[in-house]
PDB file of all heavy atoms in Angstrom:
ATOM      1  N   GLY S 161     -14.325 -11.708  12.792  1.00  0.00           N
ATOM      2  CA  GLY S 161     -15.256 -11.349  13.866  1.00  0.00           C
ATOM      3  C   GLY S 161     -15.606 -12.516  14.770  1.00  0.00           C
ATOM      4  O   GLY S 161     -16.235 -12.334  15.810  1.00  0.00           O
ATOM      5  N   VAL S 162     -15.239 -13.724  14.368  1.00  0.00           N
ATOM      6  CA  VAL S 162     -15.521 -14.890  15.229  1.00  0.00           C
ATOM      7  C   VAL S 162     -14.314 -15.814  15.264  1.00  0.00           C
ATOM      8  O   VAL S 162     -13.540 -15.881  14.308  1.00  0.00           O
ATOM      9  CB  VAL S 162     -16.722 -15.739  14.715  1.00  0.00           C
ATOM     10  CG1 VAL S 162     -18.042 -15.162  15.111  1.00  0.00           C
ATOM     11  CG2 VAL S 162     -16.644 -15.970  13.232  1.00  0.00           C
ATOM     12  N   LYS S 163     -14.201 -16.547  16.372  1.00  0.00           N
ATOM     13  CA  LYS S 163     -13.122 -17.526  16.457  1.00  0.00           C
ATOM     14  C   LYS S 163     -13.576 -18.803  15.768  1.00  0.00           C
ATOM     15  O   LYS S 163     -14.667 -19.298  16.057  1.00  0.00           O
ATOM     16  CB  LYS S 163     -12.824 -17.835  17.920  1.00  0.00           C
ATOM     17  CG  LYS S 163     -12.123 -16.725  18.647  1.00  0.00           C
ATOM     18  CD  LYS S 163     -11.801 -17.193  20.046  1.00  0.00           C
ATOM     19  CE  LYS S 163     -11.137 -16.113  20.838  1.00  0.00           C
ATOM     20  NZ  LYS S 163     -10.913 -16.540  22.231  1.00  0.00           N
ATOM     21  N   HIS S 164     -12.772 -19.292  14.846  1.00  0.00           N
ATOM     22  CA  HIS S 164     -13.004 -20.631  14.309  1.00  0.00           C
ATOM     23  C   HIS S 164     -11.616 -21.223  14.072  1.00  0.00           C
ATOM     24  O   HIS S 164     -10.638 -20.499  13.860  1.00  0.00           O
ATOM     25  CB  HIS S 164     -13.856 -20.614  13.035  1.00  0.00           C
ATOM     26  CG  HIS S 164     -13.290 -19.770  11.939  1.00  0.00           C
ATOM     27  ND1 HIS S 164     -12.462 -20.266  10.974  1.00  0.00           N
ATOM     28  CD2 HIS S 164     -13.407 -18.454  11.674  1.00  0.00           C
ATOM     29  CE1 HIS S 164     -12.111 -19.289  10.154  1.00  0.00           C
ATOM     30  NE2 HIS S 164     -12.661 -18.177  10.562  1.00  0.00           N
ATOM     31  N   ALA S 165     -11.515 -22.548  14.128  1.00  0.00           N
ATOM     32  CA  ALA S 165     -10.187 -23.173  14.103  1.00  0.00           C
ATOM     33  C   ALA S 165      -9.992 -24.094  12.912  1.00  0.00           C
ATOM     34  O   ALA S 165      -9.024 -24.842  12.867  1.00  0.00           O
ATOM     35  CB  ALA S 165      -9.959 -23.948  15.405  1.00  0.00           C
ATOM     36  N   ASP S 166     -10.907 -24.034  11.924  1.00  0.00           N
ATOM     37  CA  ASP S 166     -10.813 -25.024  10.851  1.00  0.00           C
ATOM     38  C   ASP S 166      -9.754 -24.692   9.797  1.00  0.00           C
ATOM     39  O   ASP S 166      -9.479 -25.516   8.930  1.00  0.00           O
ATOM     40  CB  ASP S 166     -12.182 -25.323  10.218  1.00  0.00           C
ATOM     41  CG  ASP S 166     -12.977 -24.084   9.838  1.00  0.00           C
ATOM     42  OD1 ASP S 166     -12.673 -22.992  10.335  1.00  0.00           O
ATOM     43  OD2 ASP S 166     -13.910 -24.222   9.034  1.00  0.00           O
ATOM     44  N   ASN S 167      -9.148 -23.504   9.845  1.00  0.00           N
ATOM     45  CA  ASN S 167      -7.912 -23.242   9.106  1.00  0.00           C
ATOM     46  C   ASN S 167      -6.710 -23.348  10.044  1.00  0.00           C
ATOM     47  O   ASN S 167      -5.662 -23.897   9.680  1.00  0.00           O
ATOM     48  CB  ASN S 167      -7.914 -21.846   8.470  1.00  0.00           C
ATOM     49  CG  ASN S 167      -8.944 -21.680   7.375  1.00  0.00           C
ATOM     50  OD1 ASN S 167      -9.973 -21.047   7.591  1.00  0.00           O
ATOM     51  ND2 ASN S 167      -8.696 -22.234   6.205  1.00  0.00           N
ATOM     52  N   ILE S 168      -6.862 -22.759  11.256  1.00  0.00           N
ATOM     53  CA  ILE S 168      -5.748 -22.713  12.208  1.00  0.00           C
ATOM     54  C   ILE S 168      -5.252 -24.125  12.579  1.00  0.00           C
ATOM     55  O   ILE S 168      -4.040 -24.385  12.560  1.00  0.00           O
ATOM     56  CB  ILE S 168      -6.224 -22.027  13.530  1.00  0.00           C
ATOM     57  CG1 ILE S 168      -6.615 -20.568  13.291  1.00  0.00           C
ATOM     58  CG2 ILE S 168      -5.207 -22.184  14.635  1.00  0.00           C
ATOM     59  CD1 ILE S 168      -5.472 -19.638  13.123  1.00  0.00           C
ATOM     60  N   ALA S 169      -6.172 -25.005  12.925  1.00  0.00           N
ATOM     61  CA  ALA S 169      -5.749 -26.326  13.427  1.00  0.00           C
ATOM     62  C   ALA S 169      -4.989 -27.117  12.364  1.00  0.00           C
ATOM     63  O   ALA S 169      -3.879 -27.601  12.641  1.00  0.00           O
ATOM     64  CB  ALA S 169      -6.943 -27.106  13.969  1.00  0.00           C
ATOM     65  N   PRO S 170      -5.513 -27.238  11.126  1.00  0.00           N
ATOM     66  CA  PRO S 170      -4.705 -27.966  10.143  1.00  0.00           C
ATOM     67  C   PRO S 170      -3.391 -27.263   9.819  1.00  0.00           C
ATOM     68  O   PRO S 170      -2.387 -27.906   9.519  1.00  0.00           O
ATOM     69  CB  PRO S 170      -5.612 -28.058   8.903  1.00  0.00           C
ATOM     70  CG  PRO S 170      -6.690 -27.062   9.105  1.00  0.00           C
ATOM     71  CD  PRO S 170      -6.845 -26.881  10.590  1.00  0.00           C
ATOM     72  N   CYS S 171      -3.374 -25.928   9.911  1.00  0.00           N
ATOM     73  CA  CYS S 171      -2.134 -25.190   9.620  1.00  0.00           C
ATOM     74  C   CYS S 171      -1.064 -25.534  10.662  1.00  0.00           C
ATOM     75  O   CYS S 171       0.114 -25.660  10.348  1.00  0.00           O
ATOM     76  CB  CYS S 171      -2.445 -23.686   9.625  1.00  0.00           C
ATOM     77  SG  CYS S 171      -1.189 -22.691   8.825  1.00  0.00           S
ATOM     78  N   ILE S 172      -1.478 -25.716  11.911  1.00  0.00           N
ATOM     79  CA  ILE S 172      -0.519 -26.018  12.981  1.00  0.00           C
ATOM     80  C   ILE S 172      -0.215 -27.521  13.059  1.00  0.00           C
ATOM     81  O   ILE S 172       0.942 -27.922  13.187  1.00  0.00           O
ATOM     82  CB  ILE S 172      -1.046 -25.476  14.328  1.00  0.00           C
ATOM     83  CG1 ILE S 172      -0.972 -23.938  14.307  1.00  0.00           C
ATOM     84  CG2 ILE S 172      -0.271 -26.060  15.511  1.00  0.00           C
ATOM     85  CD1 ILE S 172      -1.551 -23.239  15.520  1.00  0.00           C
ATOM     86  N   TYR S 173      -1.244 -28.341  12.967  1.00  0.00           N
ATOM     87  CA  TYR S 173      -1.042 -29.792  13.117  1.00  0.00           C
ATOM     88  C   TYR S 173      -0.607 -30.461  11.811  1.00  0.00           C
ATOM     89  O   TYR S 173      -0.024 -31.534  11.831  1.00  0.00           O
ATOM     90  CB  TYR S 173      -2.332 -30.471  13.573  1.00  0.00           C
ATOM     91  CG  TYR S 173      -2.676 -30.288  15.039  1.00  0.00           C
ATOM     92  CD1 TYR S 173      -3.117 -29.065  15.519  1.00  0.00           C
ATOM     93  CD2 TYR S 173      -2.563 -31.345  15.941  1.00  0.00           C
ATOM     94  CE1 TYR S 173      -3.449 -28.889  16.856  1.00  0.00           C
ATOM     95  CE2 TYR S 173      -2.893 -31.181  17.286  1.00  0.00           C
ATOM     96  CZ  TYR S 173      -3.334 -29.955  17.727  1.00  0.00           C
ATOM     97  OH  TYR S 173      -3.650 -29.792  19.050  1.00  0.00           O
ATOM     98  N   GLY S 174      -0.965 -29.845  10.670  1.00  0.00           N
ATOM     99  CA  GLY S 174      -0.781 -30.512   9.380  1.00  0.00           C
ATOM    100  C   GLY S 174      -1.918 -31.491   9.124  1.00  0.00           C
ATOM    101  O   GLY S 174      -2.722 -31.778  10.010  1.00  0.00           O
ATOM    102  N   GLY S 175      -1.989 -31.969   7.890  1.00  0.00           N
ATOM    103  CA  GLY S 175      -2.975 -32.985   7.528  1.00  0.00           C
ATOM    104  C   GLY S 175      -4.404 -32.478   7.590  1.00  0.00           C
ATOM    105  O   GLY S 175      -4.702 -31.318   7.309  1.00  0.00           O
ATOM    106  N   ILE S 176      -5.292 -33.377   7.952  1.00  0.00           N
ATOM    107  CA  ILE S 176      -6.720 -33.064   8.064  1.00  0.00           C
ATOM    108  C   ILE S 176      -7.065 -33.087   9.546  1.00  0.00           C
ATOM    109  O   ILE S 176      -6.639 -33.985  10.273  1.00  0.00           O
ATOM    110  CB  ILE S 176      -7.550 -34.108   7.285  1.00  0.00           C
ATOM    111  CG1 ILE S 176      -7.255 -33.988   5.781  1.00  0.00           C
ATOM    112  CG2 ILE S 176      -9.049 -33.943   7.557  1.00  0.00           C
ATOM    113  CD1 ILE S 176      -7.816 -35.108   4.934  1.00  0.00           C
ATOM    114  N   THR S 177      -7.781 -32.082   9.987  1.00  0.00           N
ATOM    115  CA  THR S 177      -8.166 -32.073  11.405  1.00  0.00           C
ATOM    116  C   THR S 177      -9.668 -31.886  11.534  1.00  0.00           C
ATOM    117  O   THR S 177     -10.303 -31.175  10.770  1.00  0.00           O
ATOM    118  CB  THR S 177      -7.454 -30.950  12.202  1.00  0.00           C
ATOM    119  OG1 THR S 177      -7.665 -29.711  11.545  1.00  0.00           O
ATOM    120  CG2 THR S 177      -5.976 -31.186  12.345  1.00  0.00           C
ATOM    121  N   LEU S 178     -10.187 -32.520  12.558  1.00  0.00           N
ATOM    122  CA  LEU S 178     -11.575 -32.313  12.989  1.00  0.00           C
ATOM    123  C   LEU S 178     -11.517 -31.428  14.227  1.00  0.00           C
ATOM    124  O   LEU S 178     -10.741 -31.705  15.153  1.00  0.00           O
ATOM    125  CB  LEU S 178     -12.205 -33.666  13.337  1.00  0.00           C
ATOM    126  CG  LEU S 178     -13.521 -33.630  14.124  1.00  0.00           C
ATOM    127  CD1 LEU S 178     -14.659 -33.081  13.271  1.00  0.00           C
ATOM    128  CD2 LEU S 178     -13.879 -35.040  14.607  1.00  0.00           C
ATOM    129  N   ILE S 179     -12.295 -30.359  14.209  1.00  0.00           N
ATOM    130  CA  ILE S 179     -12.394 -29.513  15.407  1.00  0.00           C
ATOM    131  C   ILE S 179     -13.734 -29.882  16.042  1.00  0.00           C
ATOM    132  O   ILE S 179     -14.771 -29.347  15.703  1.00  0.00           O
ATOM    133  CB  ILE S 179     -12.314 -28.006  15.067  1.00  0.00           C
ATOM    134  CG1 ILE S 179     -10.950 -27.684  14.443  1.00  0.00           C
ATOM    135  CG2 ILE S 179     -12.480 -27.148  16.316  1.00  0.00           C
ATOM    136  CD1 ILE S 179     -10.836 -27.841  12.989  1.00  0.00           C
ATOM    137  N   ARG S 180     -13.665 -30.859  16.951  1.00  0.00           N
ATOM    138  CA  ARG S 180     -14.918 -31.356  17.539  1.00  0.00           C
ATOM    139  C   ARG S 180     -15.598 -30.279  18.350  1.00  0.00           C
ATOM    140  O   ARG S 180     -16.816 -30.184  18.421  1.00  0.00           O
ATOM    141  CB  ARG S 180     -14.650 -32.601  18.407  1.00  0.00           C
ATOM    142  CG  ARG S 180     -15.911 -33.381  18.730  1.00  0.00           C
ATOM    143  CD  ARG S 180     -15.731 -34.318  19.907  1.00  0.00           C
ATOM    144  NE  ARG S 180     -15.442 -33.620  21.154  1.00  0.00           N
ATOM    145  CZ  ARG S 180     -16.346 -33.022  21.924  1.00  0.00           C
ATOM    146  NH1 ARG S 180     -17.622 -33.051  21.602  1.00  0.00           N
ATOM    147  NH2 ARG S 180     -15.979 -32.388  23.020  1.00  0.00           N
ATOM    148  N   SER S 181     -14.759 -29.397  18.958  1.00  0.00           N
ATOM    149  CA  SER S 181     -15.309 -28.307  19.772  1.00  0.00           C
ATOM    150  C   SER S 181     -14.244 -27.222  19.898  1.00  0.00           C
ATOM    151  O   SER S 181     -13.044 -27.523  19.901  1.00  0.00           O
ATOM    152  CB  SER S 181     -15.673 -28.887  21.147  1.00  0.00           C
ATOM    153  OG  SER S 181     -15.574 -27.916  22.150  1.00  0.00           O
ATOM    154  N   ILE S 182     -14.694 -25.959  19.975  1.00  0.00           N
ATOM    155  CA  ILE S 182     -13.705 -24.921  20.330  1.00  0.00           C
ATOM    156  C   ILE S 182     -13.888 -24.447  21.771  1.00  0.00           C
ATOM    157  O   ILE S 182     -13.025 -23.776  22.305  1.00  0.00           O
ATOM    158  CB  ILE S 182     -13.693 -23.716  19.350  1.00  0.00           C
ATOM    159  CG1 ILE S 182     -15.017 -23.001  19.250  1.00  0.00           C
ATOM    160  CG2 ILE S 182     -13.206 -24.108  17.995  1.00  0.00           C
ATOM    161  CD1 ILE S 182     -14.889 -21.642  18.550  1.00  0.00           C
ATOM    162  N   HIS S 183     -15.008 -24.778  22.403  1.00  0.00           N
ATOM    163  CA  HIS S 183     -15.225 -24.447  23.826  1.00  0.00           C
ATOM    164  C   HIS S 183     -15.648 -25.709  24.567  1.00  0.00           C
ATOM    165  O   HIS S 183     -16.832 -25.989  24.607  1.00  0.00           O
ATOM    166  CB  HIS S 183     -16.312 -23.387  24.005  1.00  0.00           C
ATOM    167  CG  HIS S 183     -16.035 -22.089  23.346  1.00  0.00           C
ATOM    168  ND1 HIS S 183     -14.964 -21.284  23.673  1.00  0.00           N
ATOM    169  CD2 HIS S 183     -16.701 -21.445  22.358  1.00  0.00           C
ATOM    170  CE1 HIS S 183     -15.002 -20.201  22.899  1.00  0.00           C
ATOM    171  NE2 HIS S 183     -16.033 -20.281  22.110  1.00  0.00           N
ATOM    172  N   PRO S 184     -14.755 -26.474  25.134  1.00  0.00           N
ATOM    173  CA  PRO S 184     -13.294 -26.332  25.133  1.00  0.00           C
ATOM    174  C   PRO S 184     -12.717 -26.839  23.818  1.00  0.00           C
ATOM    175  O   PRO S 184     -13.379 -27.564  23.088  1.00  0.00           O
ATOM    176  CB  PRO S 184     -12.872 -27.246  26.282  1.00  0.00           C
ATOM    177  CG  PRO S 184     -13.902 -28.337  26.273  1.00  0.00           C
ATOM    178  CD  PRO S 184     -15.195 -27.675  25.870  1.00  0.00           C
ATOM    179  N   LEU S 185     -11.449 -26.463  23.582  1.00  0.00           N
ATOM    180  CA  LEU S 185     -10.797 -26.898  22.353  1.00  0.00           C
ATOM    181  C   LEU S 185     -10.616 -28.413  22.346  1.00  0.00           C
ATOM    182  O   LEU S 185     -10.081 -28.979  23.295  1.00  0.00           O
ATOM    183  CB  LEU S 185      -9.422 -26.254  22.256  1.00  0.00           C
ATOM    184  CG  LEU S 185      -9.267 -25.058  21.343  1.00  0.00           C
ATOM    185  CD1 LEU S 185      -7.840 -24.567  21.364  1.00  0.00           C
ATOM    186  CD2 LEU S 185      -9.720 -25.345  19.922  1.00  0.00           C
ATOM    187  N   ASP S 186     -11.099 -29.042  21.297  1.00  0.00           N
ATOM    188  CA  ASP S 186     -10.951 -30.492  21.158  1.00  0.00           C
ATOM    189  C   ASP S 186     -10.638 -30.761  19.686  1.00  0.00           C
ATOM    190  O   ASP S 186     -11.539 -30.763  18.845  1.00  0.00           O
ATOM    191  CB  ASP S 186     -12.244 -31.187  21.602  1.00  0.00           C
ATOM    192  CG  ASP S 186     -12.093 -32.702  21.678  1.00  0.00           C
ATOM    193  OD1 ASP S 186     -11.039 -33.215  21.258  1.00  0.00           O
ATOM    194  OD2 ASP S 186     -13.035 -33.365  22.155  1.00  0.00           O
ATOM    195  N   ILE S 187      -9.347 -30.944  19.409  1.00  0.00           N
ATOM    196  CA  ILE S 187      -8.888 -31.088  18.023  1.00  0.00           C
ATOM    197  C   ILE S 187      -8.483 -32.537  17.784  1.00  0.00           C
ATOM    198  O   ILE S 187      -7.705 -33.102  18.548  1.00  0.00           O
ATOM    199  CB  ILE S 187      -7.693 -30.148  17.761  1.00  0.00           C
ATOM    200  CG1 ILE S 187      -8.183 -28.707  17.892  1.00  0.00           C
ATOM    201  CG2 ILE S 187      -7.096 -30.382  16.371  1.00  0.00           C
ATOM    202  CD1 ILE S 187      -7.098 -27.724  18.129  1.00  0.00           C
ATOM    203  N   VAL S 188      -9.023 -33.116  16.742  1.00  0.00           N
ATOM    204  CA  VAL S 188      -8.774 -34.531  16.452  1.00  0.00           C
ATOM    205  C   VAL S 188      -8.107 -34.645  15.083  1.00  0.00           C
ATOM    206  O   VAL S 188      -8.749 -34.410  14.059  1.00  0.00           O
ATOM    207  CB  VAL S 188     -10.104 -35.323  16.432  1.00  0.00           C
ATOM    208  CG1 VAL S 188      -9.838 -36.814  16.251  1.00  0.00           C
ATOM    209  CG2 VAL S 188     -10.922 -35.062  17.694  1.00  0.00           C
ATOM    210  N   PRO S 189      -6.792 -34.960  15.054  1.00  0.00           N
ATOM    211  CA  PRO S 189      -6.150 -35.178  13.749  1.00  0.00           C
ATOM    212  C   PRO S 189      -6.737 -36.426  13.079  1.00  0.00           C
ATOM    213  O   PRO S 189      -6.948 -37.442  13.733  1.00  0.00           O
ATOM    214  CB  PRO S 189      -4.673 -35.382  14.102  1.00  0.00           C
ATOM    215  CG  PRO S 189      -4.522 -34.821  15.485  1.00  0.00           C
ATOM    216  CD  PRO S 189      -5.836 -35.052  16.168  1.00  0.00           C
ATOM    217  N   ILE S 190      -7.025 -36.300  11.781  1.00  0.00           N
ATOM    218  CA  ILE S 190      -7.617 -37.411  11.010  1.00  0.00           C
ATOM    219  C   ILE S 190      -6.553 -37.877  10.008  1.00  0.00           C
ATOM    220  O   ILE S 190      -5.910 -37.035   9.384  1.00  0.00           O
ATOM    221  CB  ILE S 190      -8.845 -36.894  10.197  1.00  0.00           C
ATOM    222  CG1 ILE S 190      -9.869 -36.202  11.098  1.00  0.00           C
ATOM    223  CG2 ILE S 190      -9.476 -37.995   9.355  1.00  0.00           C
ATOM    224  CD1 ILE S 190     -10.663 -37.107  11.973  1.00  0.00           C
ATOM    225  N   PRO S 191      -6.369 -39.184   9.842  1.00  0.00           N
ATOM    226  CA  PRO S 191      -5.373 -39.638   8.854  1.00  0.00           C
ATOM    227  C   PRO S 191      -5.681 -39.064   7.465  1.00  0.00           C
ATOM    228  O   PRO S 191      -6.840 -39.031   7.061  1.00  0.00           O
ATOM    229  CB  PRO S 191      -5.552 -41.166   8.837  1.00  0.00           C
ATOM    230  CG  PRO S 191      -6.284 -41.488  10.089  1.00  0.00           C
ATOM    231  CD  PRO S 191      -7.077 -40.286  10.487  1.00  0.00           C
ATOM    232  N   SER S 192      -4.620 -38.605   6.773  1.00  0.00           N
ATOM    233  CA  SER S 192      -4.845 -37.985   5.462  1.00  0.00           C
ATOM    234  C   SER S 192      -4.452 -38.945   4.358  1.00  0.00           C
ATOM    235  O   SER S 192      -3.316 -39.406   4.328  1.00  0.00           O
ATOM    236  CB  SER S 192      -3.978 -36.741   5.289  1.00  0.00           C
ATOM    237  OG  SER S 192      -3.936 -35.995   6.452  1.00  0.00           O
ATOM    238  N   PRO S 193      -5.361 -39.205   3.445  1.00  0.00           N
ATOM    239  CA  PRO S 193      -4.980 -40.033   2.296  1.00  0.00           C
ATOM    240  C   PRO S 193      -4.068 -39.251   1.355  1.00  0.00           C
ATOM    241  O   PRO S 193      -3.987 -38.025   1.440  1.00  0.00           O
ATOM    242  CB  PRO S 193      -6.318 -40.346   1.631  1.00  0.00           C
ATOM    243  CG  PRO S 193      -7.275 -39.335   2.137  1.00  0.00           C
ATOM    244  CD  PRO S 193      -6.734 -38.730   3.390  1.00  0.00           C
ATOM    245  N   ASP S 194      -3.381 -39.961   0.456  1.00  0.00           N
ATOM    246  CA  ASP S 194      -2.478 -39.295  -0.496  1.00  0.00           C
ATOM    247  C   ASP S 194      -3.269 -38.819  -1.706  1.00  0.00           C
ATOM    248  O   ASP S 194      -3.278 -39.477  -2.740  1.00  0.00           O
ATOM    249  CB  ASP S 194      -1.359 -40.257  -0.928  1.00  0.00           C
ATOM    250  CG  ASP S 194      -0.412 -40.526   0.226  1.00  0.00           C
ATOM    251  OD1 ASP S 194      -0.158 -39.589   1.015  1.00  0.00           O
ATOM    252  OD2 ASP S 194       0.039 -41.681   0.354  1.00  0.00           O
ATOM    253  N   LEU S 195      -3.931 -37.691  -1.552  1.00  0.00           N
ATOM    254  CA  LEU S 195      -4.753 -37.144  -2.632  1.00  0.00           C
ATOM    255  C   LEU S 195      -4.089 -35.907  -3.215  1.00  0.00           C
ATOM    256  O   LEU S 195      -3.243 -35.278  -2.561  1.00  0.00           O
ATOM    257  CB  LEU S 195      -6.143 -36.779  -2.095  1.00  0.00           C
ATOM    258  CG  LEU S 195      -7.002 -37.952  -1.602  1.00  0.00           C
ATOM    259  CD1 LEU S 195      -8.288 -37.444  -0.971  1.00  0.00           C
ATOM    260  CD2 LEU S 195      -7.300 -38.927  -2.732  1.00  0.00           C
ATOM    261  N   PHE S 196      -4.491 -35.555  -4.412  1.00  0.00           N
ATOM    262  CA  PHE S 196      -4.025 -34.324  -5.052  1.00  0.00           C
ATOM    263  C   PHE S 196      -5.141 -33.291  -4.952  1.00  0.00           C
ATOM    264  O   PHE S 196      -6.325 -33.636  -4.996  1.00  0.00           O
ATOM    265  CB  PHE S 196      -3.649 -34.601  -6.506  1.00  0.00           C
ATOM    266  CG  PHE S 196      -2.457 -35.507  -6.598  1.00  0.00           C
ATOM    267  CD1 PHE S 196      -2.617 -36.889  -6.599  1.00  0.00           C
ATOM    268  CD2 PHE S 196      -1.180 -34.974  -6.599  1.00  0.00           C
ATOM    269  CE1 PHE S 196      -1.514 -37.732  -6.621  1.00  0.00           C
ATOM    270  CE2 PHE S 196      -0.067 -35.813  -6.626  1.00  0.00           C
ATOM    271  CZ  PHE S 196      -0.237 -37.190  -6.642  1.00  0.00           C
ATOM    272  N   VAL S 197      -4.724 -32.048  -4.788  1.00  0.00           N
ATOM    273  CA  VAL S 197      -5.687 -30.971  -4.584  1.00  0.00           C
ATOM    274  C   VAL S 197      -5.475 -29.942  -5.684  1.00  0.00           C
ATOM    275  O   VAL S 197      -4.350 -29.487  -5.908  1.00  0.00           O
ATOM    276  CB  VAL S 197      -5.470 -30.278  -3.214  1.00  0.00           C
ATOM    277  CG1 VAL S 197      -6.613 -29.309  -2.918  1.00  0.00           C
ATOM    278  CG2 VAL S 197      -5.325 -31.299  -2.082  1.00  0.00           C
ATOM    279  N   THR S 198      -6.549 -29.607  -6.379  1.00  0.00           N
ATOM    280  CA  THR S 198      -6.494 -28.527  -7.373  1.00  0.00           C
ATOM    281  C   THR S 198      -7.318 -27.366  -6.825  1.00  0.00           C
ATOM    282  O   THR S 198      -8.430 -27.566  -6.334  1.00  0.00           O
ATOM    283  CB  THR S 198      -7.082 -28.974  -8.728  1.00  0.00           C
ATOM    284  OG1 THR S 198      -6.573 -30.264  -9.056  1.00  0.00           O
ATOM    285  CG2 THR S 198      -6.730 -27.976  -9.823  1.00  0.00           C
ATOM    286  N   ILE S 199      -6.726 -26.184  -6.896  1.00  0.00           N
ATOM    287  CA  ILE S 199      -7.395 -24.982  -6.378  1.00  0.00           C
ATOM    288  C   ILE S 199      -7.489 -23.964  -7.512  1.00  0.00           C
ATOM    289  O   ILE S 199      -6.514 -23.763  -8.239  1.00  0.00           O
ATOM    290  CB  ILE S 199      -6.546 -24.307  -5.265  1.00  0.00           C
ATOM    291  CG1 ILE S 199      -6.200 -25.275  -4.140  1.00  0.00           C
ATOM    292  CG2 ILE S 199      -7.198 -23.020  -4.755  1.00  0.00           C
ATOM    293  CD1 ILE S 199      -7.137 -25.317  -3.004  1.00  0.00           C
ATOM    294  N   VAL S 200      -8.629 -23.326  -7.635  1.00  0.00           N
ATOM    295  CA  VAL S 200      -8.695 -22.139  -8.490  1.00  0.00           C
ATOM    296  C   VAL S 200      -9.135 -20.974  -7.617  1.00  0.00           C
ATOM    297  O   VAL S 200     -10.049 -21.106  -6.802  1.00  0.00           O
ATOM    298  CB  VAL S 200      -9.632 -22.327  -9.707  1.00  0.00           C
ATOM    299  CG1 VAL S 200     -11.082 -22.570  -9.307  1.00  0.00           C
ATOM    300  CG2 VAL S 200      -9.537 -21.126 -10.651  1.00  0.00           C
TER     301      VAL S 200
END
Side-chain angles (χ1 to χ4, degrees):
V162 279
K163 288 184 182 176
H164 57 92
D166 49 342
N167 293 104
I168 296 284
C171 197
I172 289 176
Y173 284 72
I176 294 170
T177 53
L178 166 69
I179 297 88
R180 196 198 63 80
S181 151
I182 59 166
H183 300 298
L185 259 181
D186 188 353
I187 295 160
V188 185
I190 305 287
S192 319
D194 291 324
L195 295 174
F196 294 88
V197 189
T198 315
I199 305 268
V200 63

